[in-house]
C-alpha cells in the first residue's frame, strides 16, 4: 500500500483561539486527519517571539491541547505534539537559519507587522520563519493546511528546503500550502479590514471558540456592515468587507457558496441572526467537550506524551540525515531530535 501523504500544521498557545483559527485551520485539520498522516503542533517556542508570561504560556499550552481535542482532533488518528517536547525543532531551526538569507527574512510581512512600533523587538521574531520551516521539514511534510496569512512563510519554507536539497542532497520533502477556498482570512467583526486575530487589542471583533452563546449573538449583532443596505456578496470591495465576512462565515458553516447564501437574505439583521445561529451550533458542543477535557488534565498530559513519542521517531530520523548531509561529525553517544 502506498504511504499516506503527511499533513502538518501548528497553532500558538497564546491568547484565546478565535473563529479565524477554527475556520482557517482547525476545521481543515479535523477533515484532513481522516485521509492523511497528520501531525498538529502546539508551537510554544513561537510564543517566545513577543513578550510573554511563563505561567500563562504553560497553562495556555494545556488549554490549547484540550481545545484541539475538543474540536475533533482524534489522538488515536493524529499526532498532537508540543513543539518544545521535541528538541529537533530547535536543532533543525539553526540549520534553517543558516540556509535562509537576511533579505528573505526581512521581507516577511508578519515580521514587519508584529515589530512595528515596538522598541524591543526580539531576534526570535525575525528568525521565526526559519523555526517554522524546521517544524514543517522535520516531519517530511507534504501538505500544510493554514490560513492565508501563513502562505508567505510556507513559500519561504519551500525556498529553503529546495536550497538545502540542492546544496547537500535530497533530504527534505518540499511541502505545499493548502489554503481553504473560503474563510481563509476571517476578518475582525468590528474592523473588517483587519484579520480576526487572537492578539488584537480590544478583542470586541473576535469570536472566541469558548465564548458563550450570548456573547456570540451580541458580537455578531454588533458586527460592522455598511450603508448599502443590500445583502450582496462582492469580492474585493473594501466598502463591503463586513457583509462579505458574515456571508463567508455562514457559507462555510453551511457548506454553500456565499452568493447563494446572500440570495436568501434581504435584511442585514436576518443575515446576522442566521450567522450567529450557525456559529453557535458549531461552537457550543466544542465548548462543552473542552470543559470535559480540562477536567481530566492527566489524560491530556498522557495524550501529549504519546504525541511526543510518535513525533520524535520521524524527527530524529530527519535530523540525523540533515546533520550528516551538512557535515556534522556523527557521534554514537548522541541521539538527535528527541
Ligand atoms: N483570521 C483568520 N482567518 C483564517 N485563518 C486564520 N488563522 C489565524 N487567524 C486566522 C490560522 O490559524 C492558524 C493558527 O494561527 P496561530 O495562532 O499560530 O498564529 P496566527 O496566524 O498569528 O493567528 P492569530 O490568531 O493572528 O494569532 P496571534 O494574534 O497570536 O498572532 C494558522 O494556520 C493561521 O493561518
Amino acid at each position: 500500500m502506498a504511504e499516506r501523504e503527511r499533513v502538518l500544521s501548528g497553532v500558538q498557545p497564546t491568547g484565546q483561539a478565535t473563529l479565524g483559527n477554527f475556520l482557517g485551520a482547525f476545521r481543515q485539520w479535523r477533515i484532513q486527519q481522516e485521509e492523511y498522516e497528520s501531525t498538529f503542533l502546539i508551537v510554544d517556542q513561537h510564543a517566545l517571539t513577543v513578550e510573554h508570561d511563563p505561567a500563562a504560556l504553560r497553562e495556555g499550552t494545556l488549554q490549547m491541547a484540550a481545545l484541539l481535542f475538543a474540536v475533533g482532533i482524534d489522538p488515536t488518528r493524529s499526532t498532537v505534539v508540543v513543539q518544545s517536547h521535541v528538541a529537533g525543532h530547535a536543532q533543525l531551526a539553526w540549520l534553517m537559519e543558516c540556509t535562509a538569507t537576511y533579505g528573505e527574512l526581512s521581507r516577511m510581512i508578519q515580521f514587519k507587522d508584529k515589530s512595528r512600533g515596538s522598541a524591543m523587538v526580539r531576534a526570535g521574531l525575525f528568525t521565526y520563519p526559519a523555526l517554522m520551516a524546521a517544524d514543517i521539514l522535520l516531519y517530511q511534510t507534504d501538505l500544510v493546511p493554514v490560513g492565508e496569512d501563513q502562505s508567505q512563510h510556507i513559500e519561504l519554507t519551500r525556498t529553503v528546503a529546495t536550497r538545502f536539497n540542492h546544496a547537500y542532497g535530497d533530504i527534505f520533502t518540499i511541502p505545499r500550502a493548502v489554503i481553504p477556498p473560503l474563510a481563509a482570512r476571517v476578518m475582525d467583526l468590528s474592523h473588517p479590514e483587519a484579520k480576526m486575530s487572537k492578539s488584537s487589542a480590544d478583542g470586541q471583533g473576535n469570536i472566541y471558540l469558548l465564548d458563550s452563546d450570548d456573547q456570540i449573538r451580541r458580537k455578531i449583532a454588533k458586527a460592522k456592515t455598511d450603508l448599502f443596505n443590500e445583502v450582496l456578496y462582492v469580492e474585493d470591495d473594501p466598502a463591503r468587507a463586513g457583509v462579505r465576512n458574515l456571508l463567508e462565515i455562514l457559507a462555510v458553516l453551511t457548506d454553500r457558496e456565499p452568493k447563494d447564501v446572500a440570495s436568501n437574505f434581504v435584511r442585514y439583521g436576518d443575515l446576522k441572526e442566521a450567522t450567529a445561529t450557525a456559529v453557535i451550533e458549531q461552537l457550543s458542543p466544542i465548548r462543552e467537550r473542552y470543559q470535559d477535557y480540562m477536567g481530566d488534565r492527566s489524560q491530556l498530559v498522557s495524550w501529549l506524551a504519546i504525541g511526543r513519542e510518535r513525533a520524535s521517531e520521524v524527527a530524529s530520523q530527519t535530523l540525523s540525515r540533515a546533520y550528516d548531509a551538512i557535515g556534522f561529525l556523527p557521534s554514537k553517544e548522541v541521539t538527535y531530535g528527541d
Side-chain angles (χ1 to χ4, degrees):
M1 203 172 80
E3 244 187 51
R4 289 193 303 165
E5 283 195 299
R6 288 176 199 261
V7 155
L8 178 133
S9 199
V11 60
Q12 297 194 43
T14 44
Q16 296 184 52
T18 69
L19 186 66
N21 298 125
F22 178 71
L23 296 180
F26 304 164
R27 194 170 168 276
Q28 296 197 82
W29 301 358
R30 185 172 70 193
I31 298 168
Q32 283 154 346
Q33 68 178 347
E34 306 288 329
E35 193 176 338
Y36 301 103
E37 193 172 324
S38 301
T39 301
F40 302 115
L41 296 172
I42 301 173
V43 287
D44 53 352
Q45 287 166 309
H46 287 274
L48 305 187
T49 54
V50 291
E51 211 179 312
H52 81 287
D53 168 38
L57 176 60
R58 197 171 297 119
E59 184 63 12
T61 301
L62 200 69
Q63 288 171 345
M64 186 54 81
L67 192 60
L68 292 184
F69 296 126
V71 157
I73 303 303
D74 176 351
T76 62
R77 238 177 231 278
S78 298
T79 301
V80 176
V81 58
V82 177
Q83 184 186 31
S84 64
H85 290 183
V86 178
H89 291 271
Q91 291 169 297
L92 189 60
W94 179 247
L95 271 55
M96 294 302 111
E97 282 182 42
C98 296
T99 307
T101 66
Y102 176 80
E104 283 164 345
L105 295 176
S106 309
R107 285 193 287 278
M108 294 295 113
I109 296 163
Q110 210 166 68
F111 171 69
K112 291 184 196 167
D113 286 349
K114 289 198 171 178
S115 59
R116 194 170 296 128
S118 171
M120 287 271 289
V121 178
R122 295 184 179 180
L125 186 63
F126 184 68
T127 55
Y128 149 104
L131 175 58
M132 182 164 164
D135 297 337
I136 296 168
L137 300 176
L138 197 57
Y139 298 99
Q140 304 292 353
T141 303
D142 298 288
L143 304 168
V144 191
V146 281
E148 205 175 68
D149 58 322
Q150 293 298 332
S151 55
Q152 196 189 25
H153 291 151
I154 312 300
E155 218 25 69
L156 179 72
T157 302
R158 291 168 55 84
T159 303
V160 291
T162 306
R163 186 176 300 147
F164 191 100
N165 283 354
H166 277 154
Y168 308 114
D170 208 6
I171 304 298
F172 300 120
T173 303
I174 309 295
R176 320 190 285 285
V178 185
I179 314 259
L182 260 188
R185 193 173 173 80
V186 177
M187 308 309 274
D188 186 295
L189 298 178
S190 319
H191 304 282
E193 66 290 348
K195 185 187 88 153
M196 187 182 283
S197 176
K198 44 181 149 67
S199 60
S200 77
D202 67 2
Q204 280 313 302
N206 280 354
I207 303 277
Y208 297 111
L209 299 192
L210 301 177
D211 274 349
S212 68
D213 294 355
D214 268 4
Q215 284 171 313
I216 296 173
R217 271 198 201 288
R218 252 186 288 125
K219 286 180 184 174
I220 295 184
K222 283 203 266 170
K224 187 171 171 200
T225 48
D226 52 53
L227 298 174
F228 294 107
N229 264 326
E230 49 182 354
V231 181
L232 265 190
Y233 182 69
V234 185
E235 283 174 85
D236 301 327
D237 181 355
R240 294 180 188 261
V243 171
R244 181 170 61 240
N245 194 32
L246 293 172
L247 286 169
E248 288 196 3
I249 293 170
L250 183 54
V252 78
L253 289 175
T254 53
D255 206 12
R256 282 181 297 164
E257 288 301 316
K259 282 206 162 85
D260 298 340
V261 172
S263 66
N264 291 340
F265 297 99
V266 177
R267 290 160 16 114
Y268 289 165
D270 295 335
L271 168 64
K272 287 178 170 180
E273 182 66 35
T275 307
T277 302
V279 171
I280 288 168
E281 222 165 78
Q282 189 67 223
L283 298 191
S284 80
I286 292 176
R287 200 167 60 222
E288 277 171 32
R289 284 195 295 270
Y290 171 83
Q291 299 304 350
D292 290 347
Y293 286 130
M294 280 307 287
D296 190 353
R297 288 169 170 246
S298 59
Q299 173 67 83
L300 291 173
V301 168
S302 53
W303 277 338
L304 292 176
I306 294 171
R308 177 196 174 277
E309 207 171 297
R310 280 199 219 135
S312 296
E313 243 176 71
V314 193
S316 59
Q317 279 172 24
T318 305
L319 194 74
S320 30
R321 288 185 58 214
Y323 268 23
D324 188 43
I326 211 161
F328 288 167
L329 178 70
S331 158
K332 281 208 163 26
E333 281 73 47
V334 180
T335 347
Y336 299 120
D338 54 2

